[in-house]
Amino acid sequence: MMNLDIKTLDRICFVLVVTVSLVCAYWVFKQSVKQTRQITQEDKIISKRVKELKSAEENFEQLNQLLKETKTELESMDKRIPKSADIGGILKKLDTLVKNRSVVLLSLQPLPMVEEKIYTKIPVRLIFKGSFVNIYNLLYDLETMNRMLVTENMTISRPNLNDSCQVDLTASVFQR
């Protein structure tokens, strides 16, 4: 065996301690870099998912708003196209509108019902006389009333400039 003096032994121990310290420091540094990368990747994934979640929430809000609008439109359509035709109610409303516009109703003829896939169409033929302005206002009232009334055919005639306009109108009322 070789005799080691204390100074050499100290140097060997010092080199050994420094080497072990450097290896440990390198290992700690490597682990910390690895964890930092992993945390950065997880942050990116979480950020991406948060953006996707926000986008999904916005889409959900838009869909909810669209659903509310659709329900409102459906309720409006239910009022405008009810399950029963209630022709009596329509005739009363028509009579009131004709009187309010100073138009003379000459004829009213319900025509045969037409069955469609999701509704029934009930055509009604009306013949009335009055001034052009009053007829125009009556047609506007019919178009904007609470019930769906679709004009199928209309003829406006005026034999002389001194006579009133005469309208032959076929309009359809609907029921589900």
Side-chain angles (χ1 to χ4, degrees), residues 86-103:
D86 188 25
I87 294 295
I90 293 171
L91 293 178
K92 286 179 186 177
K93 180 72 175 170
L94 180 63
D95 183 53
T96 303
L97 293 174
V98 165
K99 287 179 182 174
N100 287 345
R101 295 298 179 183
S102 302
V103 174

Side-chain angles (χ1 to χ4, degrees), residues 8-21:
T8 308
L9 189 60
D10 282 344
R11 284 183 185 158
I12 291 174
C13 284
F14 178 73
V15 169
L16 190 61
V17 167
V18 168
T19 305
V20 169
S21 295

Side-chain angles (χ1 to χ4, degrees), residues 80 137-147 149:
R80 295 194 76 200
N137 289 329
L138 175 64
L139 292 173
Y140 178 78
D141 291 344
L142 292 174
E143 189 74 25
T144 58
M145 72 180 194
N146 198 24
R147 280 295 300 269
L149 186 77

Side-chain angles (χ1 to χ4, degrees), residues 25-87:
Y26 175 74
W27 183 79
V28 167
F29 178 74
K30 186 178 174 183
Q31 291 299 319
S32 119
V33 167
K34 185 177 177 182
Q35 285 180 344
T36 303
R37 269 194 224 130
Q38 186 176 0
I39 289 171
T40 304
Q41 287 176 346
E42 289 173 357
D43 282 347
K44 286 180 183 177
I45 291 171
I46 289 172
S47 295
K48 183 179 177 184
R49 290 205 176 145
V50 166
K51 286 179 184 177
E52 289 172 355
L53 183 60
K54 285 181 181 178
S55 175
E57 285 175 347
E58 289 173 4
N59 289 341
F60 180 71
E61 288 300 320
Q62 288 174 350
L63 287 174
N64 269 342
Q65 184 63 31
L66 186 62
L67 180 63
K68 287 178 185 176
E69 290 171 5
T70 304
K71 282 182 180 179
T72 303
E73 286 180 28
L74 183 60
E75 289 170 0
S76 173
M77 284 300 259
D78 279 347
K79 289 178 185 174
R80 295 194 76 200
I81 305 175
K83 289 184 180 177
S84 88
D86 188 25
I87 294 295

